[in-house]
Amino acid sequence: MSILEGKAALITGGTKGIGYGIAEALLNQGFKVAITGRDQESTEAVAKELASKTNSENQVIGLEADVRQLESQEKAVKATLDAFGQLDLVVANAGLGHFGSIEDLTVDQWNAVIDTNLTGVFNSIKASVDALKESKGYYITISSLAGTNFFAGGSAYNASKFGVTGFTQAVMLDLRKYGIKVSTIMPGSVSTHFNGNEPSEAGAWKIQIEDIGELVVDLLKMNPRTLPSKIEVRPTTPPSSK
């Protein structure tokens, strides 16, 4: 029996990519999981798929929620507590990217990236602080190596992920006095559908979503006295290194 058996998690953007990989890994450890997405029907369909894959009937629910709205996140937290009676882990994963020179980046694109990737993380944590104080739980945010390495065409994305990295580290200092652990994971290239990518064998060199799921499980199983607060993770051998 896993030491994580019976705990409950809320994962934003859990219908695909990294969020999906984390949800699957947690369900396999006996977690109860709520995933959020922007569309109720498709989010519920993914929850059913996860339940079937992991033999976790009645252990996973799908919730429609928009991380850009604090009230929406508060409703997602309440729905998770109503379903599972507790909340031990929040994974702030939802994100998107718009890329291009500052000359071409539109105001709407800037706002979409910042509101989702950065303000969305704030909302996810702000909405659940009381619940995690109660459980002495864990926050994990998904930043990126783009949160420490800037690149041309990445002004909006870099700003959002630099912000997530700094925000998470400050929150860690704010909340550890309550027994709450806070970490940010900063992946490099991950094989997902992000930014129009299509996962394929050609991307086998990349980090896989199950690798991030395994990393989250490892963090949760670490001795409570020890906190890896910022974790950079990258492909072992990218094509340019071969």
Side-chain angles (χ1 to χ4, degrees):
M1 178 177 172
S2 169
I3 63 170
L4 305 181
E5 187 86 33
K7 292 183 179 292
L10 173 63
I11 302 173
T12 67
T15 60
K16 58 186 177 180
I18 289 174
Y20 185 99
I22 294 171
E24 184 174 0
L26 292 176
L27 288 165
N28 283 327
Q29 292 291 320
F31 250 83
K32 295 170 284 188
V33 175
I35 59 170
T36 73
R38 297 279 292 278
D39 175 76
Q40 183 65 41
E41 185 175 350
S42 61
T43 304
E44 287 181 352
V46 172
K48 290 178 181 178
E49 176 186 306
L50 282 165
S52 177
K53 285 180 69 174
T54 60
N55 296 313
S56 303
E57 188 176 358
N58 301 320
Q59 300 298 301
V60 54
I61 59 173
L63 304 171
E64 180 180 2
D66 184 346
V67 296
R68 299 173 299 177
Q69 304 297 327
L70 178 60
E71 183 181 4
S72 183
Q73 285 306 101
E74 290 172 339
K75 288 179 179 178
V77 169
K78 183 179 185 302
T80 304
L81 290 169
D82 288 345
F84 302 138
Q86 65 192 79
L87 181 57
D88 304 281
L89 169 66
V90 174
V91 180
N93 163 75
L96 56 81
H98 288 295
F99 301 93
S101 167
I102 187 61
E103 299 171 281
D104 304 315
L105 191 72
T106 68
V107 171
D108 286 345
Q109 288 173 327
W110 169 269
N111 288 338
V113 173
I114 298 300
D115 290 350
T116 302
N117 296 6
L118 181 54
T119 303
V121 173
F122 168 83
N123 289 337
S124 298
I125 292 180
K126 187 71 172 177
S128 54
V129 166
D130 288 343
L132 263 67
K133 283 183 181 179
E134 181 71 23
S135 65
K136 296 188 184 301
Y138 207 139
Y139 285 113
I140 295 177
T141 69
I142 304 300
S143 184
S144 169
L145 290 183
T148 192
N149 302 313
F150 50 85
F151 55 90
S155 58
Y157 193 70
N158 282 144
S160 71
K161 293 301 187 178
F162 269 73
V164 169
T165 300
F167 171 78
T168 306
Q169 296 301 286
V171 168
M172 178 268 294
L173 297 177
D174 287 342
L175 298 182
R176 60 182 178 177
K177 63 188 176 185
Y178 301 112
I180 297 174
K181 298 178 80 171
V182 183
S183 300
T184 190
I185 297 174
M186 305 171 68
S189 297
V190 183
S191 182
T192 70
H193 290 90
F194 183 77
N195 200 34
N197 179 65
E198 188 66 33
S200 68
E201 283 301 313
W205 61 271
K206 296 180 180 179
I207 301 164
Q208 303 299 305
I209 59 174
E210 59 266 28
D211 302 335
I212 304 298
E214 182 179 357
L215 176 55
V216 168
V217 169
D218 288 343
L219 286 172
L220 294 173
K221 289 184 174 181
M222 185 158 287
N223 192 296
R225 66 174 172 258
T226 301
L227 176 63
S229 57
K230 183 170 67 173
I231 303 98
E232 293 188 5
V233 55
R234 47 180 50 81
T236 301
T237 311
S240 60
S241 300
K242 293 180 179 178

